[in-house]
Amino acid sequence: MAKPKSFLRSIEMDVAKHSHNCQHNSKHRICAGNVRVKLKTGRKVEYFCIACALETIGRDIETLKEMQENLNKNLSLTEKEE
Ligand SMILES: [Zn+2]
């Protein structure tokens, strides 16, 4: 069976082994044992604290919704032409 594809390949969740600053906002601290979100962009890796991750995911959901609406509009236009 084909594995379902996903566009979300650049993020994953893990648990910090050591305390460190959030790489999105250096005023935020990620403590050892805290859940964090890992963003992989090419060779670079950035760790987000929960607050920053939630903010970013919220914006991404809005972007995905807009994209979905736009694609749906284009799909119905394509269907009319056939
Ligand atoms: Zn943060």
Side-chain angles (χ1 to χ4, degrees):
M1 212 171 85
K3 214 178 148 195
K5 280 213 160 105
S6 173
F7 290 127
L8 305 176
R9 292 175 132 190
S10 54
I11 56 165
E12 58 188 48
M13 269 170 61
D14 70 358
V15 175
K17 287 190 183 80
H18 307 281
S19 299
H20 63 87
N21 287 341
C22 167
Q23 283 165 277
H24 190 65
N25 185 333
S26 56
K27 287 177 196 156
H28 298 162
R29 191 78 180 149
I30 298 170
C31 298
N34 282 174
V35 165
R36 60 185 182 177
V37 170
K38 180 182 178 180
L39 170 71
K40 293 169 283 178
T41 47
R43 268 180 258 165
K44 269 173 67 187
V45 173
E46 200 179 340
Y47 290 102
F48 287 61
C49 73
I50 293 172
C52 288
L54 283 172
E55 204 184 296
T56 307
I57 287 170
R59 266 201 314 272
D60 282 348
I61 288 171
E62 289 310 308
T63 304
L64 286 170
K65 274 188 199 159
E66 279 169 31
M67 207 180 275
Q68 187 183 38
E69 274 172 37
N70 201 323
L71 288 169
N72 272 324
K73 270 181 212 158
N74 278 279
L75 181 68
S76 51
L77 289 175
T78 312
E79 281 167 348
K80 274 174 201 160
E81 279 169 20
E82 279 167 9

